[in-house]
Amino acid sequence: AQKVTQAQTEISVVEKEDVTLDCVYETRDTTYYLFWYKQPPSGELVFLIRRNSFDEQNEISGRYSWNFQKSTSSFNFTITASQVVDSAVYFCARGSNNQGGKLIFGQGTELSVKP
Amino acid sequence: NAGVMQNPRHLVRRRGQEARLRCSPMKGHSHVYWYRQLPEEGLKFMVYLQKENIIDESGMPKERFSAEFPKEGPSILRIQQVVRGDSAAYFCASSHDAHLLNTGELFFGEGSRLTVL
C-alpha cells in the first residue's frame, strides 16, 4: 500500500519553541498532491496547505512553513514560535491526480504546546 | 457561501439500530467523499460519489454500510444494525472537480460523531 507515515505520534513543546512535524509518503504516481490538515480539540478538520508534486517550492505562511523534498518523499511542516492555540492533531495526506478527493492520511501527530 | 454541512453532529445509537448521516456539499460541488476516523487514528477513505453514482466504494465495509447521493438532496451514509466498532467520527468532503490538480480544493465538513452504546 502507498502509505503516508507520520512517525511522531505526540510532540510536546513549550510556547515560543519552533517545532517540525514530519511526513513521509509513498507513491508510484508521477503526479500527485500533498495536504496538511489541523484537527483542533473541537474535532473539525482545518485545511492548511496543498502542494502539487511538480511544485517543489517551499512555502511560508505566517508562522507556518512547509518543506517539500521529492528526493526523500517528505513534506515536513514547521511551526515557528509555537502558541498554545497550535495544540491540535496534525494530519498529512496524499492524493493522486486520477483519484480526485480520495486521500491517504497519515496517523496524525498530536502537538501539545504548553504555556 | 456555506461550507460542507454535516448533520447530525452527534448521534447516539444502541446496538442493532440504524444510523443515517447526512452531508450537503458546498454549493456547486458534485463530488462527495466519505471518510471514517476511528478513535486516535487517521482518516480512512470510505466512498466517493457523484450525483446518483457511486464512483469508488473500495473503502466501504462489505456489509451494513451503504451510501447514496441522489439528484436532489444531501448525500447519505447509512449504517444498518450498528455495532460498537462503528463508533467513530464520519467526515464528508466535497470538491468541484474530480481532478483536484485543476481546482485544488477539497473541503471537509465538521464531521458526525457516532456513538454506539
Side-chain angles (χ1 to χ4, degrees), chain B residues 8-108:
Chain B
R9 292 291 308 280
H10 299 275
L11 182 64
V12 178
R13 285 287 178 264
R14 296 191 181 280
R15 280 181 298 171
Q17 292 183 319
E18 180 179 286
R20 281 187 184 231
L21 309 176
R22 295 174 195 78
C23 169
S24 296
M26 284 190 69
K27 189 175 180 180
H29 286 192
S30 58
H31 302 262
V32 165
Y33 310 85
W34 285 93
Y35 285 80
R36 178 166 66 174
Q37 184 181 26
L38 294 171
E40 299 187 16
E41 291 191 14
L43 279 75
K44 296 281 195 303
F45 167 81
M46 298 181 75
V47 62
Y48 163 31
L49 309 106
Q50 282 182 261
K51 284 286 186 182
E52 300 184 274
N53 290 307
I54 297 175
I55 307 300
D56 183 343
E57 55 181 349
S58 57
M60 285 276 271
K62 292 288 185 280
E63 297 176 351
R64 302 187 297 108
F65 284 72
S66 62
E68 62 177 10
F69 188 17
K71 187 176 180 181
E72 302 291 337
S75 175
I76 295 175
L77 180 67
R78 182 182 178 207
I79 311 171
Q80 295 177 287
Q81 299 174 325
V82 296
V83 300
R84 289 222 174 98
D86 297 332
S87 295
Y90 292 84
F91 286 91
C92 170
S94 75
S95 67
H96 176 268
D97 194 293
H99 300 288
L100 295 195
L101 282 177
N102 296 337
T103 63
E105 302 298 349
L106 180 68
F107 296 91
F108 279 86

Side-chain angles (χ1 to χ4, degrees), chain A residues 31-33 35 37 39 42-45 47 50 52 54 91 97-103 105-108, chain B residues 9 33 35 37 40-45 48 56 58 91 98-101 103-106 108-110 113:
Chain A
T31 304
Y32 53 92
Y33 34 81
F35 293 84
Y37 287 91
Q39 188 175 43
S42 48
E44 72 273 24
L45 274 178
F47 167 83
R50 183 199 65 138
N52 296 339
F54 47 80
F91 290 100
N97 189 36
N98 60 352
Q99 298 205 358
K102 181 180 177 181
L103 304 184
F105 280 79
Q107 292 288 89
Chain B
R9 292 291 308 280
Y33 310 85
Y35 285 80
Q37 184 181 26
E40 299 187 16
E41 291 191 14
L43 279 75
K44 296 281 195 303
F45 167 81
Y48 163 31
D56 183 343
S58 57
F91 286 91
H99 300 288
L100 295 195
L101 282 177
T103 63
E105 302 298 349
L106 180 68
F108 279 86
E110 294 187 326
R113 279 150 185 83

